[in-house]
Amino acid sequence: MATLGALDRKLLRDLREMRGQAVAIIFILVAGVAAYVSMASVMDTLQHTLDRYYEEYAFGDGFATVRRAPEEVAERLGTTPGIVQVQTRVVAMVNLEIAGYDDQVAGLMVSVPGDRQPELNRLFLRTGSLPAAGRENEVLLNEVFAEAHGLCAGDTLAAVINGRRRTLQVTGVALSPEHLMQVQPGVLFPDPERFGVLWINRSALAAALDMRGAFNDVSFRLAPKADVRTVIDQVDLLLAPYGGQGAYARADQGSHRMITEEFNQLRGMAAVLPSIFLAIAAFLLNIVIARVVSLQREQIGVLKAFGYRDRAIGWHYVKLVLSITCVGTVIGMALGVWAGRALGTVYLEFFRFPYLEYALNPPVVVTAVLLTSGAALIGVMRAVRQAILLPPAEAMRPAPPSLYRQTLVERLGLRRFLAQPSRMILRNIERRPFRALFAVTGVACACAILVMGLFFVDSIDHVVHFQYGIAQREDLMVSFFEPAPTAALYELANLPGVQYAEPFRSVPVRLRRGHRSYQTGIEGIPANAYLRRVIDTELEPVPIPAEGIVLTERLATMLDARLGDEVVVEVLEGRRRTTRVPVSGLTQQYLGLAVYMEIEALGRLVNDGQALSGVYLLVDERYEDTLMQALRRRPRIAGILSQERAIRAYFDHAANFLLVYTLVLSLFAGIIAFGVVYNNVRVSLSERERELASLRVLGFTRGEIAYILLGESVLLTLLSIPLGIVIGSLGSDAYMKALETDMYTIPVVLTRGTYATAASVVLVATLISALIVRSRLNRLDLIAVLKTRE
Amino acid sequence: MAQEVIFRARGLSKIYDMGEVKVQALRQVDLELFAHEMVVFLGASGSGKSTLVNILGGLDTATAGEVLYRDRDLTRADDRELTEYRRHHVGFVFQFYNLIPSLTARENVAIVTEIACQPMTPAEALELVGLGGRMDHFPAQLSGGEQQRVAIARAIAKRPAVLLCDEPTGALDSQTGVIVLEALETINHDLGTTTAIITHNVVQAEIAGRIIHLKDGEIARIETNTRRTPARELQW
Ligand SMILES: Nc1ncnc2c1ncn2[C@@H]1O[C@H](COP(=O)(O)OP(=O)(O)O)[C@@H](O)[C@H]1O
Ligand SMILES: [Mg+2]
């Protein structure tokens, strides 16, 4: 017991003695654990919240739109095997007018039963109330939309419903699981200023649309074990006579699909990257600890000489190291939970959940603890074993004077360019290649993490530029309520301010090949299209083939279709023909899964003459306002849309949390770099104190010895930057491959700015640790160092 | 003949303050060292020899009293001045050689000559200590005595006015020790470097012209040795 006491006292003193290294270790640990715990817990939190929200607000499992179906059909739907609950509705796309806002605003008007919540897709009332029963002119607004225009209960806005203008009064603001992502059909990204969801009493909407006793939209809930595919087919069969446009499952529902994409992407950022982060931290921890313990080699020899058992010695060092890692892990966890909650509130804003339920799942905690303490323990054991294996007499002697030799640089004849201090730096690096390698790897990893965290913003810029600069060059997309004759094109082309007009046709279809299918729309464009172009895999615009369809590469993969293969095209409108069409081209597109066809060929496929769904316009900016007014007066126009504005709006919003994310990441990577460099210099210092003191005695200045010690770190950091950039680029590629979704692929775009930021962060971390060590060097006790045995 | 004074110490005291205990390592020491002389500090372990020599060499500062190196007041010098002083005027040799393991013998010397004013070449310095043939060996490839001679060559290569040696033979057997002392003798004789050697070995003191006896931090007596024994004839 007495001896144990002495050993424990040694432990405490050692801890105080090595607080420099301990702090470096704790830094690495805190960064690794906090990054991992915060991001992993955010992911758990979001998924948890989403699941609960869907459940509590009865989000539908399947959806379908029809032209007009009598209410009795709902009963038949309800008795379809696999369906347990049905909610019919009336919905309409309307044009909105908001005082003080000039752009075209589209609205999706959805009916609510009147005075009570619908049974499916219930609403969360943020403020105000549902439209009162019998009130024809009351609406409830979706929160993002209401906020974008500063509307709240009591305000008014106008809507053109089925050609008639109506003034509506806002009764409140709500959230719906169905419109977590409020996206206008046909648009890829949310734009809360130009598109909003409104809820109105069914009686009111039905009256306006001539839908009394009928519905045009239905959602349903499935029995727990029902097969979605079979149910959807049943529903399609049942609804076909009423102009059914193809039922789809929750997985294909716009908002859900988008949020799933978001989550997948987040999961990549929030799980993949922090896991790499934690693994790197664990790896560094292992090495750092092994080194700290090997500094104690002489003491291990002495303890052995005194008759301590190997196990007791091992346990001693395990305790030493665990006491450090425990502190690091606990601080890291606490910081991680704190940062996780903070990130959670950022996402809460973004996704507009009614509430957020913070969740820290046990696997996250267990992974963090096991990985870090495991890495630490392996590190200790490795070093202690090495010391224990030596006979005590040998261990008590300092590690054998290592043989230095002339370095490669010198042997290459560059010797005369190097003064002694520089030679010392080079030889020291060459003598301990593994240590140098470790330092380089560690800093390179930090640098790589930074590259992986930073490139994203540039990639998104690139996508936007590509999509809207090369592939979709129109300023405005004008779409018609009903397919219009070709004359409409010339009519619009002649409006003042229109520089160029190009027709398009879009047709909802289901593509099938074998057992694979995908529900989407075919976009018809002219053969010599100028505004909307098909881009091949080399990113060059190519003319659209006269026959057959052109698929996005990813969609082709999903359908397992190659060039020349035939796909079954099921048209979901008009005469609903089903035809086999060859794949005549493949196109590369970052966003969306578009399918293109020559516009006349598409007309033949649908078999209803040469109708247009809309027109793309190139607009003279000076006339944009007058043109907008002219367009808005035309009754047949359903929407006027600027995709670019929508995507800009979306990414401006997303930029917020990308920024938070990037900052957090840079901070943690900086800390890791600092931990590695600082530890490296500290261990070097304790090994070379004597040498440096000798130099001071010989008349070297503080600056000169600092150069010898710190020059090495700076040199290693400089070496590690290119390596880090290479690792970071490879990592980014892998990372983006993992994030690729149906909706988009994001190319890795690495800019000089990214490299420069990554390099600066690790350089600054190196300089900070150099400065700290430099202040210790200044306090070097010359006499004390020289008195001790070599 | 009137001898030039190199060091002049007056009322030199050194107290190590360690909280509760204060150790008085030097008490009111008055002392002169002359140009070109070889002097030995003799005394039991703990008598204050190292403390005194470290203060003379600018490695440590006195608590009270003053030391002059020629006209230079070492007691009031700051770290920068002391560094400059060590760089150009003093050579040190320690019991443990303190060579830089990553540099060869020649480079260990060069590290000093590169920052000195009018140094000899590393080769010359190593020739002086009889190591002309081992210049490109690293410390780990040399014996203890050879390493100590490299340390001597390193100390004198910048042609310092003073060479301070703290128990230079302390870690060596007597045969090797003799070779090291011979090297110091050569330096003192050929270059005229003022040489101060610390030892607790009475026999070794015979090589010096003056022997300064220290006891409990005070100079017990100063003995002038008229019949200096060449190092090669010493035996202990
Ligand atoms: N750094 C120090 N702290 C405290 N006491 C010291 C220190 N250095 C030397 N001493 C004490 O000063 C006295 C003189 O030491 P020193 O000059 O090293 O003696 P010598 O070299 O003659 O053996 C001794 O009692 C020693 O314990
Ligand atoms: Mg001594």
Side-chain angles (χ1 to χ4, degrees), chain A residues 787, chain B residues 16 18 23 25 44-51:
Chain A
K787 218 156 37 184
Chain B
Y16 289 107
M18 302 187 297
V23 178
S45 181
S47 56
K49 307 181 295 289
S50 298
T51 306

Side-chain angles (χ1 to χ4, degrees), chain A residues 404 423 427 690 696 704, chain B residues 79 86-87 98 101 107:
Chain A
Y404 283 88
R423 282 189 213 172
R427 286 186 195 165
R690 187 180 184 79
R696 289 279 286 131
E704 284 162 338
Chain B
D79 179 79
R86 291 199 300 270
R87 188 169 191 144
N98 294 316
E107 290 163 346

